[in-house]
Amino acid sequence: MSALTKAKVQTPPLIAAARGEATPHTPVWIMRQAGRYLPEYRRVRSKTEFGALTRTPDLAAEVTLQPVRRFNLDAAILFSDIMVPVEGMGVDLTYAPGPVIAHPIRTLKDVAKLRPLVPERDVPYVLETVRMVRAELPPHVALIGFAGSPFTVLSYLVSGKPSKEFATARAFVQSEPEVTAALLDHLADSTAAYLRAQAEAGAQALMLFESWGGLLGRGDFARIALPSVQRLVSKLKDLDVPLIYFANNCWTVLDLIAGLDVQVVGLDWRGSLAQARTVLGKGKTVQGNLDPASLFAPPEVLKRRIDDVLADAGPGGGHIFNLGHGIWPETDPDAVARLVDHVHSRTEGRP
Ligand code: 1CP
């Protein structure tokens, strides 16, 4: 592409906001925006098991695009799961509906059996989905690729199934430092290769879900979870693609996260975006953080709650609007339409 043509191609608002640049409005998307709250998703899912859906590019592309057709969103997020690359490493898993691992990983021998991920060979369907979605999306809508953080994926691999507290995984990382280090290194390296391949296939931002790292104590987060994230992001330094680190329930370790080489930090609803900005410093964009429960409030209350989040984020950009965590399956899609339109109309032309 010539320099002139390139200059004419507009940067999607979400990408500009991730870089801390001015945007025409505050960009907005919704975590888990493709999913069970949408009747069109349930129709596709009623005919196809979840794992098969992630491995079938035309269906995965279709459900990725469903929320973008319905709402005025600034981004699509690849329809997949944080456990998909793990299947590519040779792990036997099913979804019920959360991931269930046939043989949990507990020993160095188990770790040695994991294939280092070669994305084109092991998960070609993910890359094909990225290419198909990018070809369909309008230029102002950014495509977000994603993966789970090493510790979050370890939590499932060691526990073998979803858990509220992940006691098995937390006791494991305290008791088995050698296996933990080997597994986290493997996951960091394979996840870096996986995210790089998504960017090369057309993902314009990459998000890392630290869904369960916030269950760790501060010392364990600093010694165990964070170094593996650092290792991962250091391998992606040369990519001109913003990285978003979703720091779920991580308010007490935000000062440690401030040192990470990522452009955006995603935050849950428990804390204040203004306070997060103080801790994270000027160089980082914040993403979040409406309580998913606010989508169940009457329209006027929802609008007020959105205004509160916008006020908390403050003027001057560097904010991507989102929920504080994934949307709940019982949510009314019309509330999502109202949310997206309200964020845009309130922030249009604002400095
Ligand atoms: O029955 C079904 O349709 C399966 C439910 C489902 C869906 C819709 C699962 C199983 N995964 C997904 C899609 C998914 N998962 C996406 C793409 C959809 C989108 O955002 O539009 C993404 C980004 C994820 C990421 C994911 N999977 C995370 C991180 C995000 C978060 O919520 O913190 C986690 C923790 C998972 C594990 C997982 N996979 C599926 C479920 C139900 C779960 C959660 C299990 C648990 O509670 O521990």
Side-chain angles (χ1 to χ4, degrees), residues 32-34 41 45 50 77 80-81 97 146 156 162 209 211 325:
R32 299 280 187 114
Q33 65 189 24
Y41 172 80
R45 259 292 272 127
F50 178 76
I77 182 160
S80 186
D81 194 76
F146 76 91
Y156 289 105
F209 284 94
S211 301
H325 206 160

Side-chain angles (χ1 to χ4, degrees), residues 29 31 77 82 146-149 152 207-211 244 246:
W29 69 281
M31 276 191 277
I77 182 160
I82 60 168
F146 76 91
S149 78
T152 291
M207 176 139 160
L208 206 51
F209 284 94
E210 187 67 271
S211 301
I244 308 171
F246 174 56

